[in-house]
Amino acid sequence: MGISILDVTTGAAAHVATEALEAEYYRMQELKTQALRELAAAGAAENAASFFEHAVDRFGGRECVRAVDHAARYSFAALDAAANRIAHWAQSLGLRQLDTAALLMENRPEYLAMTMGLAKLGVTVALINTNLTADLLRHSIGVSGARVVIASTAKLANVVTLASAAAAPAAAAAALAAIAPATEVWWYAGQDESVPAEVLARAAEATGSLGLVHRALDAAVLDASPETRLPPSVRDRVTSRTPLYYIFTSGTTGPSKAAKFSHRRFIGAAVTWAAPSGLKTGDRYYITLPLYHGNAGVVAVAPCYLLGNTIVLREKFSVRSFFDDIHQNNCVATVYIGELWRYLHTMAPQPHEGTPEFSPLRVIVGNGLRVDLWATVCRRFHITQVVEHYGSTEMPGDAVLNYFNKPGSCGFLPAAVAREKSMTGEGGRLVAYDVEADRVVRGADGRCVPTAPGETGEMIMRLPGGVYDGYVGEAATRRKLYEDVFEAGDRWWSSGDLLRTDAQGFFYFVDRTGDSFRWKGENVSTHEVEMALATFPGVKEVNVYGVRVPHTDGRAGMASVVVYGEAAAAAFDVAELGRHAAAQLPVYARPLFVRVRSSAHAATGTLKLLKYAAAAEGYSPARTGGDRVFVNAGGAWHAVDEQVAAQLDGGQIRL
């Protein structure tokens, strides 16, 4: 479809005139506008429940969702019936529009029945990360204000930790307060399955100090609820800006924040990604990212409802099963984050790589595909369309998309459109950012300084009327806003992301503001260093961050590299990695520390590596868990033992 800048067979980039890029952009925008007009005419553009019901009315008997690790299969009509039962059941509990329910469940078809069923009642759904336990789980439930929790029996181990460290009455009271107002947990085992009595007993025993009531949400309960739709009047206070979901931030630097994700943005995602993906009714879309994450639960799911695609779910990403699932279910599309392709690229060579016979997969949609992997992934796995985007769950405006297969770019906007959108609040603008001071640059007049093409700046977005839906909690919301940016009284959302643009209007992600660091008077992008080091033979995974070294200014770069096993870690040639870095990076960006690991880095549920915690561990052998650490001092690499660490701390070794 459209223009392809990348020849995926040769990996050669061809020049495409800016006018042609802009023409394709406007064509896509017209398709988006047309889709919105049709939805509005059908009364399906105001809230996600009406949008979903419109899809059901169009595609009724077509398969809507199947799973590779669950037996359940649902047509659009059958999923609607299941969602209607959930809506009636929730109403019978006393839940009403604008209430909140928390959902803790693995990827399975019923997840979609739960979310759309609660949306039919106008209830906001807090999508809980299935990796959370104890304090973090209590925090997520509590900050959402959920009145009830719906949990899969597969997540029993998570729920029993809610009362951890709460043996004393005072601790129990604090733990109970953390999850208030939730008092009930409803357990779900699966379609036509009963909840084992031992699950209820174990949950009740473990959380007895909290006074939680545990009940079974099984076939006996749901079969008693009607399959008929609730009237739209039960959600008449729901507007396009009402939160459909609370989607939680990754929590890489502290407790997750609950971002308000509106009905408008869910429907907007459907029409934004539908045309660029080139999907047709009945195409199958493989989802192996967690549905509690925006990429899977929104960017992938919403267009499938709009277009009548079949959603194929796997509970958890697996390198071994990925292309087997694609083949067996004839999937033509999948959603990704960049780390997913990094893992898949470690696969041994497969038969028919680089040819149409390798797999039916045609289009991949997501963000974070590194420029060094882009052409390789397309060529090796015969991907013919990449739809990369820049966006975040909490952003107030539109995402930007790169559907031109331009390697490394996360979006495209014609210059005139970018200026217009930045002032209406529908798009972003880049402003100069001081990495060392960790704040935006303001001129003598106190206003922010726009960047020029090629310059790195923070992405910010204007708030129409100064209103930001943001996060649950005023304090968390306020920290994401800038005021008096270009004129007195204006308010802009702070993304915390550093990007740059080129002369044609392509956007490129550089780094997170907190991840970039300053060394020797220069800004170092951890993202760019990781891309350079990831191409070194034998490196499976790279995590780059800055570490504090006494008696120095800024932070010194450390590259934590994961290699293939303990033997490889013991034999790893740090000096050779250093020479590779010297050939790829300017002197200030070359890591001064290398940490060699044989086990994977700690990561979030969406595969984001945890930099903050790793940086806090520094270089001391007492804190690095037995990993070998090396420092480049005086032009040579030295193993960091307690003596070397003490000399670094004391300033005897100069960097």
Side-chain angles (χ1 to χ4, degrees), residues 323 326-327 331 352 355-362 381-383:
F323 281 107
I326 295 288
H327 272 290
C331 296
H352 307 297
T355 72
E357 288 72 33
F358 176 71
S359 89
L361 190 63
R362 182 180 74 245
F381 303 128
H382 203 264
I383 307 299

Side-chain angles (χ1 to χ4, degrees), residues 496-499 509-513 515-516 524-527 611:
D497 292 327
L498 300 177
L499 286 82
F509 179 82
V510 175
D511 217 339
R512 290 286 296 167
T513 54
D515 291 345
S516 291
V524 180
S525 163
T526 63
H527 177 71
K611 296 179 183 290

